[in-house]
């Protein structure tokens, strides 16, 4: 199954350049993990251990079929790769602002895996929107500057 995640390609980190003290662009640090999936298996799940009973926490063994989960795992991976370079408070910030936040949402019984159980993936029901009346949300790309 191939999903279109729009402009957010979960496995291609945005190119970043570091700046030296003199303001010149430096080399981009090498990634520790090559993909969001590798990060999930090698770093996140081995360190973020929780009891997943289905009542207080839910997980889907086929997490990659849930676009929200893919996006959140990729966000955790990208932020981890960036914050690991801050030896002072980087990991503390990552745990507080990224891992704890996103994992709380992912594991919530009403979160993206609400319809799944530990052994079986079930496609979620998507929210169905109704289009707003014409003109309520103009395309800002076409408005004069």
């Amino acid at each position: 199954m191939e999903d279109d995640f729009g402009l957010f390609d979960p496995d291609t980190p945005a190119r970043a350049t570091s700046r030296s003290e003199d303001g010149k662009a430096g080399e981009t640090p090498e990634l520790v993990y090559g993909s969001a999936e590798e990060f999930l298996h090698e770093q996140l799940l081995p360190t973020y251990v929780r009891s997943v009973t289905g009542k207080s926490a839910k997980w889907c063994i086929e997490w990659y079929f849930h676009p929200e989960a893919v996006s959140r795992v990729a966000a955790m991976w990208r932020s981890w790769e960036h914050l690991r370079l801050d030896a002072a408070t980087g990991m503390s910030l990552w745990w507080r602002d990224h891992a704890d936040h996103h994992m709380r949402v992912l594991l919530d019984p009403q979160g993206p895996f609400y319809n799944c159980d530990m052994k079986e993936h079930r496609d979620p029901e998507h929210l169905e929107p109704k289009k707003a009346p014409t003109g309520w949300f103009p395309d800002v790309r076409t408005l004069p500057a």
Side-chain angles (χ1 to χ4, degrees):
M1 175 180 162
E2 188 169 318
D3 284 306
D4 178 12
F5 295 105
L7 297 174
F8 185 74
D9 179 359
D11 284 336
T12 306
R15 293 198 180 266
T17 56
S18 59
R19 300 260 176 210
S20 62
E21 289 182 24
D22 62 4
K24 294 181 181 177
E27 290 186 30
T28 302
E30 189 172 323
L31 296 173
V32 173
Y33 300 103
S35 70
E37 181 181 34
E38 181 183 9
F39 169 77
L40 177 94
H41 287 277
E42 300 295 323
Q43 175 65 37
L44 183 62
L45 294 185
T47 58
Y48 202 96
V49 179
R50 297 293 185 273
S51 174
V52 180
T53 63
K55 293 181 181 181
S56 62
K58 302 265 305 191
W59 180 256
C60 180
I61 196 163
E62 294 181 302
W63 64 276
Y64 42 81
F65 284 131
H66 298 267
E68 179 183 354
V70 170
S71 183
R72 287 180 181 277
V73 170
M76 285 188 280
W77 167 49
R78 290 173 183 228
S79 61
W80 185 90
E81 290 284 2
H82 175 75
L83 289 170
R84 72 182 173 82
L85 301 172
D86 176 352
T89 61
M91 283 298 94
S92 181
L93 294 173
W94 180 78
W95 280 104
R96 183 193 71 196
D97 296 343
H98 302 279
D100 288 341
H101 170 74
H102 290 297
M103 290 303 287
R104 200 170 1 263
V105 172
L106 288 174
L107 295 174
D108 188 292
Q110 298 302 312
F113 306 133
Y114 75 92
N115 207 25
C116 300
D117 61 39
M118 287 293 293
K119 296 180 183 354
E120 183 179 6
H121 164 76
R122 293 185 191 98
D123 287 331
E125 296 177 27
H126 293 276
L127 300 173
E128 294 295 328
K130 183 176 177 182
K131 287 279 192 178
T134 302
W136 280 30
F137 297 96
D139 186 337
V140 297
R141 298 169 295 182
T142 62
L143 296 176

